[in-house]
Amino acid sequence: MTIDIRPLRENDLPEADRIFRLAFGTFLGLPDPTTFAAGADLIGTRWRAPASNATFGAFDGETLVGSNYAASWGSFGFFGPLTVRPDFWSKGIAQRLLEPTMDVFARWGVRQSGLFTFPQSPKHLALYQKFDFWPQRLTALMAKPAAAAGKAEGAFDGSRAELLAQARAVTDTVFAGLDVSGEINAVLDQSLGEVVTVRDRDSLAAFAVCHVGPRSEAGPNAVYVKFAAARDDRQFGALLAACEALAVRRGMGVVTAGVNTACHDAYRTMAAQGYRTQFTGVAMQRGNGAGYLGPGAYVLGDWR
Ligand SMILES: CC(C)(COP(=O)(O)OP(=O)(O)OC[C@H]1O[C@@H](n2cnc3c(N)ncnc32)[C@H](O)[C@@H]1OP(=O)(O)O)[C@@H](O)C(=O)NCCC(=O)NCCS
């Protein structure tokens, strides 16, 4: 077996997507592993946003056997989904995929990087520790049925460039250089969903990058908050209500969002608003750095 690591081409995407579902579905013990994350697209959406994502395929000859994706959020980077075809597990392929992933973080100049994984899996924790990622606080993947009571916020009143600049001003207060322009552009360019905004007089006070429905990362019947940031608790509460209003307007039954429990105030506010945890993961960060996670950080995003 000679494994070659190279970027994915468009015609690799169906097999990369199949392996992604098969690998997670097998690990989680689903009766039909290929039904994992049915209706959601986590692979093609990243591949189609090359300005802020790098893709890596592991090939045995011409046969794709695994893949990984690195995302650039300015001064922060994360990777995943990392998957290897089950009949190739425990042959060092994930480690081969992680080597160029670390190189791309260095090339992008990220100050901090992280990932989301299964806290109960000794293999996963050990694998990432080899690359200096260490387990930290739990990340709760939460959901709330969308109710009509959510207050709709007006659409952002300005150009794409203004939205990106004002969003950057919000994230910069969370962590210097944090910049999710790539996520915003991916959602708008690929029509994956909407960017929900909350204003405070003339400036942006909070925003959420929301995927909506099938063929986005949300999947059927859901709004998935891929990233959100707010300047304070009040604005964060208004943002959650606005995400719910988006779900109602778009006919989606549920709002889903991941929150790291290190962001204690945000986590408590979500619980108080009726969000319930569906799945528990753990954040691992390189060098055990804190990055932007902290008690007063009103930030959503699970790094999946
Ligand atoms: C997780 C996954 C990507 C790992 O891929 P892989 O190619 O099997 O992993 P590798 O063989 O490169 O590395 C595993 C390492 O963990 C080590 N390991 C496994 N269990 C361990 C334990 N209990 N303690 C210490 N080390 C352990 C292995 O020995 C190996 O290291 P080595 O090569 O030095 O021996 C793959 O199993 C997969 O696709 N799983 C389903 C999807 C998934 O969970 N993806 C990751 C989500 S975060």
Side-chain angles (χ1 to χ4, degrees), residues 23-24 27 82-84 88-95 116-118 122-124 126-128 130:
F24 276 108
F27 176 73
L82 166 66
T83 56
V84 173
F88 280 79
W89 284 359
S90 300
K91 299 179 192 298
I93 293 175
Q95 292 163 76
F116 171 96
T117 195
F118 301 105
K123 175 178 177 175
H124 287 70
L127 168 63
Y128 300 130
K130 286 174 184 289

Side-chain angles (χ1 to χ4, degrees), residues 56-109:
F56 304 99
F59 294 83
D60 181 16
E62 285 306 306
T63 306
L64 184 71
V65 294
S67 66
N68 193 28
Y69 307 80
S72 162
W73 285 1
S75 53
F76 179 79
F78 72 96
F79 70 80
L82 166 66
T83 56
V84 173
R85 211 173 82 185
D87 51 330
F88 280 79
W89 284 359
S90 300
K91 299 179 192 298
I93 293 175
Q95 292 163 76
R96 291 288 312 279
L97 283 161
L98 286 171
E99 287 158 9
T101 305
M102 300 305 112
D103 294 344
V104 87
F105 286 152
R107 199 165 74 238
W108 288 340

Side-chain angles (χ1 to χ4, degrees), residues 181-221:
S181 295
E183 298 296 343
I184 295 173
N185 284 328
V187 159
L188 299 180
D189 291 344
Q190 299 180 49
S191 301
L192 301 174
E194 298 183 28
V195 180
V196 171
T197 56
V198 174
R199 301 191 69 83
D200 185 13
R201 286 182 286 276
D202 285 342
S203 65
L204 194 65
F207 72 97
V209 184
C210 295
H211 288 232
V212 180
R215 289 175 299 282
S216 75
E217 293 191 31
N221 200 33

